Amino acid sequence: CLSALAFSASGLALTTTVQADDLSGTRITVHSDYLWGEIEPSGFANAGATPLKDYESHGDGFGFDLRHDWQDGDTVFGVFGSATWLGLPGGTSVAKSTTDSEGVTVTTHHGFDTDLSWLAAVGGRIGHVVNDNTLLYIQGGVATGRLEINETGDGAAASGDISKTGYMAGIGLDLQLSDRWSLGVSVNHYELGDITFT
């Protein structure tokens, strides 16, 4: 099971001319991210004396959003698409001890490494305007990501690149600086669910 939490800082360039107190319009966002990921291995009961442990990973990312918003009074609602490239490596392993036919204890190591390489999402958002140029919003939608998995340890051979679809949900703030520029921050949770690796 894979989940990730992303903190994003964005610089927003407006592609349509709007007033500073009107947040309607189409926007292209360039963002920088810091991400925390969590992997919860399961199905490895025979890998060792103890199950493989959950582990966390951390990494940087960057990407862009394409948004279109409509403003009605102090309410803003819109749609967005987002793409983020990142590096989120991690891994876990266990030691397995067996006794051969001559009574000798043999210890082998088994596990895997992972690296989340990109995330993408599409969805909608709704927010409330404060002081004419500050937008507080929530957003959510369908998300997908690509995870590279490599078996590690004795006799390791398996590897794979797996794409998985789940969801994202987040909260953020945009500050309109001028007709064409704004800055924003957001915190988003991505949940990609179960990934099968043989």
Side-chain angles (χ1 to χ4, degrees), residues 43-48 96 110:
F44 293 87
N46 297 323
K96 181 178 182 180
H110 304 278

Side-chain angles (χ1 to χ4, degrees), residues 118 144-147 161-165 192 195:
W118 56 261
T144 186
R146 190 162 186 86
L147 188 72
D161 288 311
I162 301 172
S163 296
K164 182 66 177 178
T165 299
L192 299 184
I195 295 174

Side-chain angles (χ1 to χ4, degrees), residues 19-38:
Q19 300 301 315
D21 59 353
D22 181 4
L23 303 185
S24 300
T26 302
R27 297 163 169 82
I28 298 174
T29 306
V30 178
H31 57 83
S32 176
D33 305 86
Y34 189 77
L35 297 101
W36 298 264
E38 181 175 313

Side-chain angles (χ1 to χ4, degrees), residues 23-24 68-72 75-79 124-127 135:
L23 303 185
S24 300
H68 187 82
D69 291 322
W70 297 268
Q71 184 169 347
D72 182 8
T75 301
V76 174
F77 54 95
V79 293
R125 66 184 198 146
I126 186 169
L135 175 66

Side-chain angles (χ1 to χ4, degrees), residues 16-189:
T16 57
T17 301
V18 299
Q19 300 301 315
D21 59 353
D22 181 4
L23 303 185
S24 300
T26 302
R27 297 163 169 82
I28 298 174
T29 306
V30 178
H31 57 83
S32 176
D33 305 86
Y34 189 77
L35 297 101
W36 298 264
E38 181 175 313
I39 305 289
E40 301 173 359
S42 62
F44 293 87
N46 297 323
T50 59
L52 291 172
K53 296 180 179 180
D54 302 351
Y55 62 92
E56 294 183 354
S57 55
H58 307 266
D60 299 320
F62 70 94
F64 68 90
D65 295 352
L66 179 63
R67 303 176 181 174
H68 187 82
D69 291 322
W70 297 268
Q71 184 169 347
D72 182 8
D74 289 336
T75 301
V76 174
F77 54 95
V79 293
F80 73 92
S82 174
T84 304
W85 290 266
L86 54 117
L88 207 64
T92 186
S93 65
V94 293
K96 181 178 182 180
S97 297
T98 57
T99 303
D100 64 16
S101 59
E102 298 179 356
V104 177
T105 300
V106 178
T107 300
T108 56
H109 298 270
H110 304 278
F112 57 87
D113 290 337
T114 59
D115 191 6
L116 183 64
S117 58
W118 56 261
L119 289 167
V122 293
R125 66 184 198 146
I126 186 169
H128 180 75
V129 178
V130 182
N131 296 330
D132 293 333
N133 64 349
T134 303
L135 175 66
L136 299 173
Y137 65 89
I138 57 174
Q139 63 182 4
V142 177
T144 186
R146 190 162 186 86
L147 188 72
E148 178 182 344
I149 305 177
N150 294 297
E151 182 187 7
T152 61
D154 300 293
S159 64
D161 288 311
I162 301 172
S163 296
K164 182 66 177 178
T165 299
Y167 70 89
M168 67 84 68
I171 185 171
L173 181 149
D174 287 342
L175 175 63
Q176 192 79 15
L177 301 177
S178 69
D179 289 353
R180 291 189 173 273
W181 295 98
S182 66
L183 293 175
V185 295
S186 65
V187 177
N188 301 294
H189 176 78

